[in-house]
Amino acid sequence: MAYVAVSGGEEAIEESIKLLDYYRSGTEKDLELEVIEKKMSLLVDRVMSEAGLYAPTYAALALKQCEGSTDEAVFLLRAYRSTLKRNFYTTVTDTRNMRMLRRISAAFKDIPGGQVLGATYDYTHRLMNFNLKNEDAKALHRKMIDKIESQDKEEITSFGRVSDELKKEGLLDIYEKHDEKPFDVTENLLEFPAKRSARLQTLSRADTGFISGLAYAVLRGFGQVHPTVGELRSGYVELEVLYTNLPEETIYIGEILLTEVEAFNQAEDKNQLKLASGYGAVFGRNENKAIAMSVLDRELETGGDYPPQDEEFVLMHGDCLEMNGFISHLKLPHYVTFQSKLDAVRKTRGKKNE
Amino acid sequence: MKKRRLFKILSKADRGIVLDMADEIKKRTEVVVIKAPEKALAMIKMREPVKESLFYLGEVIVTETTVSVNGVNGTAVAMGDDYDKTLAMAIIDAAYNGNLFADETVLLELEKEQIAREEKENAMFMKTMVNFKSMDSGEPV
């Protein structure tokens, strides 16, 4: 065979795109967006987190459009996002005032405000519940509404962080608040060494599997010792933007659900008299991702020879869109480049046989 | 009432109620849409607790719009893509700015209901608060 440079295939491509509907046509039942958003919320959370865009209904639509593929859904959301103007930056969001749904500590049993398990799969038996095959969804919905209505009101209070207590004791370093404009990885190419803001933004929107795997590698010995989750909290955080022409006033634009984690480690100082913490914050209820982020934040802070401590390795290879885009491109025709490789091998074999 | 509070009540209110409130204002005033509702992005700025520095968590989709009511401007920005509700919020804001929204009772009543609902939901979650019991000699650890 000689070099084969080709064009064409347009009709086949068009038909191929149409054929995608075949895979969504297996039943006459529609998959309503409300159902995806409200009943597949952990999947929606993951897609929003990896897209870096908090938009539950749009994430549900993206999942419907691509048969539940997280990487395709992330691609769709990122593409859509790129069509919108960014007209606002929120005021500094303070998670201390989070309306808490869950708050636990693996470091202390007694934390200010107490440990609240919220809703968690942690203590469930992983047994298939075959009753869900024919669930009365209306009855379930009504039951939970009735349950809420029957509660005696309990005032919502905010609590300090677990790390605040350690800071008071001098066990964690205290830093002054500083308002340096964050680096924005959606508008600028990453530079190394990366700023802390670039690292946190990149990790927060990273692929869940990628950073979970890296954090696991750290725990297995390819990094520091085992960190302890000082605090994990999930809840609603209110967002505000400045009111036009009245800088002392803000507009409440809504609230987002997020999970944040502080993980404690031994500090680097010689005498080991202090602790240090790593931070993770992600959209939605995605606890393992938030923990993984906090582990990697600390690893990258200390640096070292292992891959999870190498910021270029960690920050350049975990973006869902970029990694899947690059891997996916391998499926596209490489006829010319491959023929070239093939020719080289054939020539070498020919010379050997002479 | 501070803008923050006004928009929090309106954002959390059912769209039907907000639309009705705006319709009532429209009947007795002249409303001009200065900037029609359109979608935009808002980047979330967060402070992290380790070094107290700022970073961007990600973006949210918002709808923004500006109107005038009897010549006084009002604006609204709200998460999501509900154009009609956001427009109604801007009309209410403009009416508020022009002192054409005299009665806050409705808003305060809505706020009361919203807080009550959240406090009930909070009570449900607080039932999962852990009461640790020491497993040794009975002495607290």
Side-chain angles (χ1 to χ4, degrees), chain B residues 16-74:
Chain B
I17 293 172
V18 179
L19 262 52
D20 287 347
M21 287 165 76
D23 282 343
E24 188 276 321
I25 295 165
K26 278 195 263 183
K27 279 180 198 159
R28 56 186 168 86
T29 59
E30 190 194 353
V31 176
V32 177
V33 177
I34 296 169
K35 184 178 182 184
E38 65 174 6
K39 282 181 263 188
L41 295 170
M43 178 57 99
I44 303 164
K45 201 190 294 173
M46 292 248 303
R47 188 179 300 285
E48 52 85 19
V50 177
K51 296 205 167 167
E52 300 286 353
S53 63
L54 301 177
F55 76 103
Y56 295 132
L57 179 69
E59 293 163 311
V60 288
I61 291 177
V62 295
T63 297
E64 59 167 325
T65 185
T66 304
V67 302
S68 80
V69 171
N70 287 0
V72 179
N73 283 7

Side-chain angles (χ1 to χ4, degrees), chain A residues 207-220 222 288 292 296 308:
Chain A
D207 184 271
T208 305
F210 177 78
I211 65 168
S212 300
L214 286 179
Y216 179 46
V218 170
L219 304 183
R220 287 195 66 252
F222 292 85
N288 281 0
L296 293 173

Side-chain angles (χ1 to χ4, degrees), chain A residues 52-55 58 80-81 84-93 95-96 99-101 109 113-119 144 147-149 151-156 161 167 175-184 186 196-197 200-201 204 238-241 243-244 246 248-256 258 262 277-279 281-283 301, chain B residues 1-12 35 38-66 73-83 89-90 93-94 97 112-134 140-141:
Chain A
L53 182 68
Y54 196 95
Y58 288 24
Y80 183 72
R81 172 223 164 261
L84 299 175
K85 278 191 285 185
R86 187 193 292 164
N87 290 344
F88 302 95
Y89 287 82
T90 67
T91 56
V92 178
T93 307
T95 54
R96 276 189 174 82
R99 182 156 65 87
M100 215 80 75
L101 301 176
K109 72 180 177 64
Q115 301 214 24
V116 178
L117 296 183
M144 294 315 292
K147 187 172 179 177
I148 292 173
E149 283 172 359
Q151 303 288 320
D152 292 326
K153 291 185 284 181
E154 194 163 329
E155 195 183 346
I156 298 167
R161 298 178 189 282
K167 283 175 184 171
Y175 294 86
E176 287 289 312
K177 278 185 184 176
H178 62 97
D179 294 340
E180 184 187 337
K181 189 174 185 279
F183 188 92
D184 188 353
T186 67
R196 179 163 178 76
S197 53
L200 294 177
Q201 188 184 14
S204 185
E238 298 179 353
L239 302 180
E240 296 166 39
V241 298
Y243 187 88
T244 321
L246 288 174
E248 72 282 6
E249 292 265 23
T250 57
I251 296 178
Y252 166 100
I253 61 168
E255 58 184 11
I256 58 166
L258 66 84
E262 272 188 275
S277 59
Y279 180 68
V282 299
F283 284 153
E301 190 68 28
Chain B
M1 186 181 283
K2 301 282 276 184
K3 295 290 181 196
R4 185 186 186 287
R5 189 174 173 195
L6 170 69
F7 281 101
K8 186 171 176 179
I9 296 168
L10 295 176
S11 286
K12 289 185 180 236
K35 184 178 182 184
E38 65 174 6
K39 282 181 263 188
L41 295 170
M43 178 57 99
I44 303 164
K45 201 190 294 173
M46 292 248 303
R47 188 179 300 285
E48 52 85 19
V50 177
K51 296 205 167 167
E52 300 286 353
S53 63
L54 301 177
F55 76 103
Y56 295 132
L57 179 69
E59 293 163 311
V60 288
I61 291 177
V62 295
T63 297
E64 59 167 325
T65 185
T66 304
N73 283 7
T75 191
V77 186
M79 273 172 62
D81 61 359
D82 193 336
Y83 284 14
M89 287 163 72
D93 180 55
N97 291 341
K112 208 169 144 189
E113 286 168 19
Q114 291 161 4
I115 291 171
R117 198 201 173 281
E118 285 180 4
E119 286 185 343
K120 285 185 172 187
E121 188 185 74
N122 186 46
M124 189 170 71
F125 278 85
M126 288 304 131
K127 287 199 169 60
T128 64
M129 172 108 54
V130 186
N131 286 312
F132 286 103
K133 288 181 186 132
S134 176
V141 177

